[in-house]
Amino acid sequence: MNDIFEKLEEWGCDVPGTKARFLNDENLYITCLHGVLEDKSFEKLGEAISEHDCKKAFDATHNIKGFLANMGLTPMYNIAIEIMEPLRKGTVTGHEKNYKALMASKEKLAHIMGKN
């Protein structure tokens, strides 16, 4: 098994389920993992949180949550849920800690992918 997949599984990601969704095309899966790292929704979420813009933050988190679920990145997905649920109720403050955790997990993914 590819070292990246081993590290993702150790981290708690759903690698087998995601590989099945990708018809076991490991190269496509790796390409899409790189896409997660490049997605601008993370920055949009940070901006929205600092601006206290609930709609913008909700939209960014909704995008993030969707692609994290599709990619089987469970640890990151769980943090996105922690951000999204209060936003769904209109709470626009208090997300900084979870946003920092989400960005730290993005850095962990980058490390696993050999990007840092």
Side-chain angles (χ1 to χ4, degrees):
M1 182 192 294
N2 187 311
D3 188 46
I4 291 172
F5 299 131
E6 287 177 16
K7 289 177 182 177
L8 288 172
E9 280 194 77
E10 288 171 7
W11 189 26
C13 298
D14 179 21
V15 173
T18 306
K19 278 182 158 181
R21 273 193 300 285
F22 281 77
L23 304 174
N24 292 312
D25 186 338
E26 292 184 356
N27 290 328
L28 177 59
Y29 188 6
I30 296 288
T31 298
C32 291
L33 286 170
H34 287 288
V36 169
L37 296 174
E38 297 165 5
D39 193 280
K40 300 298 180 200
S41 296
F42 292 100
E43 287 76 22
K44 289 178 184 176
L45 175 57
E47 291 168 6
I49 288 171
S50 68
E51 296 167 0
H52 303 290
D53 185 332
C54 189
K55 179 173 178 5
K56 185 176 171 183
F58 181 85
D59 291 346
T61 306
H62 190 266
N63 288 339
I64 291 167
K65 183 181 74 89
F67 64 69
L68 294 177
N70 285 330
M71 295 303 299
L73 298 171
T74 309
M76 295 178 76
Y77 173 83
N78 290 338
I79 299 168
I81 291 294
E82 292 292 319
I83 296 169
M84 179 168 240
E85 289 313 309
L87 289 169
R88 187 182 306 278
K89 297 174 185 171
T91 303
V92 295
T93 59
H95 301 289
E96 293 81 7
K97 179 181 173 187
N98 284 331
Y99 179 69
K100 286 180 184 178
L102 182 63
M103 295 308 287
S105 67
K106 184 181 175 206
E107 285 299 314
K108 180 168 182 143
L109 176 61
H111 179 73
I112 289 170
M113 299 297 298
K115 291 282 196 173
N116 62 356

